[in-house]
Amino acid sequence: MHEGQLNIGVIGLGVMGQRMLARLATHPRLRATWVWDANPAALAATLQTYPQLLAASSAEALIQSPGLHSLYIATPPAPHMALSELAFDAGLAVFCEKPLTVDFAAARACIARIDAQGQRAAVNFALASSQGLALLQSQFAAQAKPSLGVLQAVELTLAFAAWPRPWQATAGAWLGERIEGGFSREVLSHFIFALQRVLGPAEVLRSRVDYPADGIAAEVGLQAELRAATVPVRIEGRVGGDLPDLNRMVWQASEGQIQLQEWFSQIERRNAAGQLLPHAAASGDLRLSGQRDQLDQWVALIEGRPHGLPGYAEALAVQETIEALLQGRG
Ligand SMILES: NC(=O)c1ccc[n+]([C@@H]2O[C@H](COP(=O)([O-])OP(=O)(O)OC[C@H]3O[C@@H](n4cnc5c(N)ncnc54)[C@H](O)[C@@H]3O)[C@@H](O)[C@H]2O)c1
């Protein structure tokens, strides 16, 4: 171990666990050390790709491993809260995948403990570290000095050729099922996070959810109207329509608009006449640089320094909006 290295235990070695292991391998300070998955095949495959990793014998054993600084949780949502609690018992900082949980009572208890004990915990909404979110905050957050005038409406369009998406084909069945999965929890939650980070809590005014008739599969359509800080917000999401995979958010203001596509990696600012305006975004792959910044924020979390990652309370507020949308209204 060299000085300054922060040792990470990873629980959940599916699609997202593998992505994070690859990202961690490129970070100068964060180092995956111990890993665990309830599925022995996932554990074995991970050790084959990363022979330097150490396999724990259980989640509990991983969390107790000596020398660990932080736990990364990439299981499906159900075990997120219990694993977080075990990690706090062991004095670890926790970086947890979204969605936080669908068990709100457990989440509230966990948040109360975090607050009371000053535990270090954050949720991996990668947009937290994006330049797009920083731009939106500089324009439209409560203290902002807007150059595009007054925010009038926010529109979000999501489209998926298929759900789950092809790159998630190896993920568990949960992802395609309505109890824990579906595009609203999986994808929409990132944009509700961004919306609420800028404008505060959103209220669901109307929501129509289309489910397949089998009673099991997750939603294939969502049309909703919300309000956030008096601003109307419209959401349109669809699986299997004629649009290719798409995420596009448009923040319309009285003197122009900001449009963000492809996970905020494509940003356009326009004036009221529709002309493109220059903006100060750095060149290069914005999505990649956001992911790198996200890991630096994780380092700050572990070291107890200020960081921009959402805590569990902010992630629960996102999930409350998502579950309200999924219940349908109006
Ligand atoms: N932040 C992002 O951009 C992003 C992207 C994809 C997925 N996710 C999130 O990451 C999490 C995992 O998603 P995924 O696509 O990797 O799912 P997945 O089904 O591919 O992988 C989940 C893994 O967790 C393991 N597992 C399940 N229960 C466990 C338990 N109790 N203890 C240990 N291991 C357990 C499974 O065996 C599986 O290997 C979800 O919360 C998902 O929403 C986040």
Side-chain angles (χ1 to χ4, degrees), residues 185-262:
R185 296 193 184 100
E186 198 58 23
V187 176
L188 176 58
S189 58
H190 288 278
F191 299 97
I192 296 292
F193 157 71
L195 177 81
Q196 298 195 156
R197 168 76 58 105
V198 179
L199 296 181
E203 180 191 357
V204 177
L205 305 176
R206 200 182 64 80
S207 174
R208 204 190 87 193
V209 191
D210 299 329
Y211 283 112
D214 65 2
I216 295 168
E219 74 278 9
V220 291
L222 175 77
Q223 281 183 305
E225 285 167 26
L226 303 84
R227 191 168 42 213
T230 76
V231 177
V233 178
R234 209 180 6 242
I235 297 173
E236 173 91 45
R238 181 138 311 276
V239 176
D242 44 17
L243 288 174
D245 274 18
L246 168 79
N247 56 72
R248 181 178 58 222
M249 205 173 200
V250 179
W251 293 62
Q252 184 65 50
S254 54
E255 285 158 49
Q257 64 159 233
I258 298 176
Q259 176 176 291
L260 309 106
Q261 294 199 83
E262 217 16 67

Side-chain angles (χ1 to χ4, degrees), residues 11-17 19 36-39 42 59 72-77 79-80 83 97-99 124-126 165 167-168 170-175 185-186 190 287:
I11 297 184
L13 302 168
V15 174
M16 192 59 215
R19 288 188 160 196
W36 162 251
D37 193 291
N39 175 0
Y72 170 63
I73 304 172
T75 67
H80 286 180
L83 290 171
E97 267 311 329
K98 38 57 57 180
N124 187 24
F125 284 111
R165 294 156 288 181
W167 61 268
Q168 294 176 302
T170 59
W174 68 274
L175 187 60
R185 296 193 184 100
E186 198 58 23
H190 288 278
R287 200 170 171 194

Side-chain angles (χ1 to χ4, degrees), residues 32-50:
T33 50
W34 291 88
V35 289
W36 162 251
D37 193 291
N39 175 0
L43 195 54
T46 302
L47 292 176
Q48 225 164 19
T49 313
Y50 301 99

